[in-house]
Amino acid sequence: MAFLVPVLVGAGAVVALDRPVDEPQVKVLEPPTPTPVTAPAPVEEPTVEEEAVVEPEVEAEPEPEPEPEVIAEPEVELEKPAPAAGRLARLRARLAKSNNVFSKGLLALLAQDDIDEDVWDEIEETLLMSDLGADPAMELVDRLKERVTVEGTRDSETVRAMLREELVAMVDPSMDRRLTATRKDDKPAVIMVVGVNGVGKTTTVGKLARVLVAEDREVILGAADTFRAAAAEQLTTWGERVGVETVRSEQEGADPASVAFSAVETGVAQEVDVVLVDTAGRLHSKANLMEELGKVKRVAEKQAPVDEVLLVIDATTGQNGLAQAKVFTEAVNVTGIVLTKMDGTAKGGIVVAIQRQLGVPVKLIGLGEGADDLAPFEAETFVDALIAS
Ligand SMILES: Nc1nc2c(ncn2[C@@H]2O[C@H](COP(=O)(O)OP(=O)(O)OP(=O)(O)O)[C@@H](O)[C@H]2O)c(=O)[nH]1
């Protein structure tokens, strides 16, 4: 399945820049400085008498030849991000902890000759520990029970194939996980990234910019996280590494909606493909902060429609993260989930739980702190990684 519609440039895509690399990469929003209006000085026509008293012209010293101006070309080494296609397969080893639960734990239990009720309980418990959620865990146990009865004797390959089939069905390959990242109606695609504190929003925006650059898209970043002082700097650095401009405000605590507006405005003017807007982490329990998120979206939409609102969830927070997520889906129309920190958790089942409870597909997963450790989510590749031997 293609990750982004409709153009997918494969490996080795050249990073396209629409301006020379020595231009400043940061657009800083500053109050406009009033331009003093000065009347042009009247040009006086010289009179004839005046002309008569003009001293004979002394030959002026020849002006020294100006030194040719040397423009220092800053050494901007642009990085070439890894292509997005096939990333999940390449990073599958990062799911080692989840793999331990499914492949080592679950498969061993299922491969036993006699699976009695105690073993089925243990299977269900293992599924619950992976954060699959109570209903899906029960459903899966029922499906497996049914199949084990029908299949009779089972070798480990049959069991693996059976579990794979059932898990893939639960992760649901039919969900539309494509990310809108294509211009339409002469406007850039706009993607907003939201979530609670510290889940990895800024990092995700930076990594996503690289995914898009790897696909030859032109991107603008908007640092609408005006709450955390370092966030704009962090985002700017991510952008600079791949030649992407960041629109930000130098004023701490500036109105995030106005930064988002300016970022989209810049994106429209520069005719880029995608504007990525980072927002501040906020507690789902703070109604005013959730309202602010709605405002950021509305104000940005005065320039161009927001196509995607990606909710970032830290996979290690499990079911607690789910409760937070619900509030976000009520405040803004969340179109996709980014599950971060999947490299550090055994709770791979959270993918199913989130999709079931929120009705929103997981579109991307974070598998590490490295710049290219963000992968488009693919149901089958994900399940294969979980049950790999
Ligand atoms: N291991 C791992 N760490 C990650 C991943 N994604 C992000 N992180 C780390 O999580 C930490 C927080 O990331 P940020 O991007 O600053 O989080 P944020 O949501 O923007 O934070 P606030 O703006 O304070 O809400 C950083 O140390 C990231 O490197 C991931 O997929 N795996």
Side-chain angles (χ1 to χ4, degrees):
M1 181 183 67
F3 162 50
L4 295 165
V5 282
V7 197
L8 232 178
V9 181
V14 179
V15 174
L17 285 180
D18 59 349
R19 60 190 134 59
V21 287
D22 56 334
E23 268 187 28
Q25 304 274 307
V26 186
K27 177 167 181 174
V28 178
L29 304 177
E30 274 170 2
T33 335
T35 320
V37 182
T38 336
V43 181
E44 278 185 26
E45 286 282 297
T47 58
V48 179
E49 288 88 349
E50 278 168 346
E51 267 180 8
V53 292
V54 168
E55 291 282 334
E57 224 179 291
V58 185
E59 212 174 308
E61 280 277 306
E63 282 281 317
E65 272 288 300
E67 284 284 313
E69 211 179 326
V70 181
I71 300 166
E73 292 259 340
E75 285 281 310
V76 184
E77 248 324 304
L78 288 185
E79 292 175 21
K80 193 170 175 204
R87 267 199 203 179
L88 185 52
R90 285 200 300 279
L91 295 170
R92 60 197 276 162
R94 304 279 176 88
L95 290 165
K97 286 189 182 159
S98 294
N99 167 280
N100 279 344
V101 170
F102 287 90
S103 181
K104 311 284 178 308
L106 217 52
L107 280 176
L109 289 168
L110 283 166
Q112 293 185 23
D113 283 340
D114 289 315
I115 308 182
D116 58 19
E117 274 311 308
D118 284 349
V119 177
W120 283 118
D121 283 350
E122 218 177 312
I123 290 172
E124 191 170 338
E125 240 164 69
T126 311
L127 290 172
L128 287 174
M129 269 160 45
S130 83
D131 263 349
L132 193 70
D135 287 348
M138 240 158 52
E139 264 174 54
L140 187 55
V141 166
D142 287 346
R143 291 282 305 131
L144 292 170
K145 262 186 187 171
E146 213 177 289
R147 290 190 64 165
V148 162
T149 318
V150 174
E151 311 256 349
T153 39
R154 290 149 278 119
D155 57 43
S156 61
E157 277 323 294
T158 317
V159 172
R160 193 183 296 275
M162 189 172 76
L163 184 62
R164 178 186 193 277
E165 216 173 287
E166 296 303 332
L167 281 174
V168 167
M170 293 208 123
V171 176
D172 195 354
S174 71
M175 280 186 144
D176 187 358
R177 299 175 201 278
R178 289 171 300 179
L179 204 64
T180 307
T182 311
R183 287 176 64 80
K184 67 228 156 272
D185 302 331
D186 241 9
K187 299 256 171 89
V190 179
I191 302 177
M192 239 173 99
V193 175
V194 305
V196 297
N197 302 81
V199 286
K201 292 176 298 299
T202 306
T203 310
T204 295
V205 173
K207 288 174 176 174
L208 185 52
R210 297 174 69 93
V211 167
L212 297 168
V213 166
E215 293 187 347
D216 268 348
R217 318 266 168 151
E218 278 171 22
V219 182
I220 291 277
L221 302 180
D225 179 354
T226 55
F227 184 75
R228 183 164 62 93
E233 203 50 51
Q234 196 183 331
L235 197 64
T236 305
T237 306
W238 274 101
E240 279 173 347
R241 289 167 68 181
V242 285
V244 164
E245 183 182 328
T246 301
V247 175
R248 59 189 270 190
S249 169
E250 282 308 272
Q251 225 185 313
E252 215 179 306
D255 180 11
S258 97
V259 179
F261 178 90
S262 300
V264 182
E265 185 181 44
T266 307
V268 170
Q270 293 191 11
E271 299 184 356
V272 299
D273 296 299
V274 189
V275 180
L276 288 177
V277 180
D278 184 25
T279 63
R282 62 199 67 231
L283 268 184
H284 57 296
S285 52
K286 291 266 165 70
N288 57 331
L289 291 181
M290 297 310 289
E291 270 164 34
E292 183 188 78
L293 207 53
K295 182 185 161 197
V296 171
K297 184 168 179 255
R298 281 194 305 280
V299 172
E301 290 200 310
K302 292 190 175 162
Q303 284 293 335
V306 171
D307 301 275
E308 297 267 2
V309 178
L310 295 178
L311 173 61
V312 181
I313 300 177
D314 176 343
T316 63
T317 59
Q319 298 289 329
N320 188 30
L322 258 176
Q324 305 160 353
K326 267 196 194 142
V327 185
F328 277 88
T329 55
E330 284 152 18
V332 274
N333 179 29
V334 173
T335 58
I337 305 290
V338 182
L339 255 184
T340 55
K341 312 189 191 180
M342 285 292 279
D343 51 309
T345 180
K347 299 175 184 299
I350 190 76
V351 169
V352 173
I354 283 178
Q355 294 186 156
R356 283 276 183 103
Q357 289 198 31
L358 305 180
V360 179
V362 171
K363 292 193 170 178
L364 295 156
I365 57 172
L367 289 157
E369 295 195 76
D372 291 328
D373 292 343
L374 180 78
F377 186 82
E378 296 154 24
E380 303 203 356
T381 315
F382 178 70
V383 171
D384 282 339
L386 293 191
I387 61 165
S389 45

